[in-house]
Amino acid sequence: MAKMKYSGSGKAMKRIIVIGCSGSGKSTFSRKLQQLTGSPLYHLDKLYWLPDWELRSAEEQDRIQKELVKEENWIIDGNYQRSLPIRMERADAIFFFDYPRRVCLYRALKRIVSNRKRTRPDMGEGCPERFDWEFMKFIWNFNKNNRPGLIAALDQAQDGITAHHFRKPHEAANYLRALYEQKEEAA
């Protein structure tokens, strides 16, 4: 990620991308960020998955994203690496959750147990939480199979995008805490 410019929370953010491995905490972070910024929050999983775990077509996914990014303010949570360039064209901030697989696996398993047979608020209606070996393998292999492509896409980001690269969960928590303190001081 040599080309990316990393900085703190000083710059105002209007259009935010949150990406990383499943189970890394993207959706939780996005909800907290939404509370602090007031920007509309869109979970791609909620928009892309139809009942019974049927995924919308790539064309429909692109259409949805192209409409979302036209808005002046947004937080978009989700990888969908194929269509990441659509979001990156308009984004001014990217949060990349780059955690070890053990963290993501643990969190995904915990989420499965705590939401068993219920649809999470960040998931498409009619897609109840369930254990899925393919999903566990996806998380297990994310750093090998998906991370390099994300890094390459992020390296192609246009100048002016502020990137936040979190390698440990406490870094994301510290960021939110600092943003909250900034907001309190400004009030």
Side-chain angles (χ1 to χ4, degrees):
M1 301 208 2
K3 292 183 187 176
M4 297 225 42
K5 294 167 182 62
Y6 300 94
S7 71
S9 59
K11 182 179 161 190
M13 300 174 290
K14 291 185 172 188
R15 293 174 298 279
I16 302 165
I17 298 171
V18 182
I19 57 175
C21 185
S22 301
S24 63
K26 298 182 306 292
S27 296
T28 301
F29 178 87
S30 296
R31 280 191 297 275
K32 291 177 181 177
L33 191 59
Q34 191 275 330
Q35 291 169 355
L36 289 168
T37 64
S39 294
L41 170 58
Y42 302 101
H43 300 285
L44 293 181
D45 282 341
K46 186 175 185 83
L47 298 170
Y48 289 0
W49 286 100
L50 299 168
D52 298 322
W53 294 97
E54 181 183 336
L55 191 59
R56 292 183 190 274
S57 69
E59 295 79 20
E60 186 68 6
Q61 291 176 27
D62 289 354
R63 186 195 63 72
I64 290 168
Q65 272 192 79
K66 287 175 182 176
E67 285 300 311
L68 291 178
V69 300
K70 287 179 184 176
E71 296 181 24
E72 190 57 33
N73 296 312
W74 43 259
I75 300 168
I76 300 178
D77 153 39
N79 282 328
Y80 297 90
Q81 190 170 328
R82 181 195 58 76
S83 59
L84 182 58
I86 295 171
R87 286 167 273 155
M88 288 178 62
E89 284 179 24
R90 293 253 311 140
D92 54 34
I94 299 173
F95 292 87
F96 177 36
F97 286 67
D98 191 14
Y99 295 165
R101 88 167 52 132
R102 71 184 183 288
V103 171
C104 298
L105 280 169
Y106 170 76
R107 287 180 167 185
L109 288 169
K110 183 178 166 185
R111 181 175 72 196
I112 290 167
V113 170
S114 64
N115 292 291
R116 191 169 169 266
K117 296 185 180 181
R118 289 183 301 177
T119 300
R120 298 188 328 261
D122 57 337
M123 184 52 69
E125 196 60 42
C127 296
E129 195 68 43
R130 64 192 173 141
F131 183 83
D132 179 346
W133 275 113
E134 287 302 312
F135 182 59
M136 292 296 115
K137 285 195 279 186
F138 173 81
I139 294 171
W140 181 263
N141 292 312
F142 184 87
N143 285 342
K144 179 178 74 168
N145 295 341
N146 299 83
R147 185 180 183 276
L150 280 179
I151 298 290
L154 294 174
D155 278 345
Q156 299 302 311
Q158 62 193 5
D159 287 341
I161 294 180
T162 302
H164 305 275
H165 188 179
F166 300 138
R167 291 172 182 86
K168 297 178 181 173
H170 77 268
E171 294 171 348
N174 290 345
Y175 179 88
L176 289 171
R177 187 176 311 107
L179 192 60
Y180 174 79
E181 289 169 1
Q182 261 184 4
K183 186 176 177 177
E184 287 295 304
E185 287 174 14

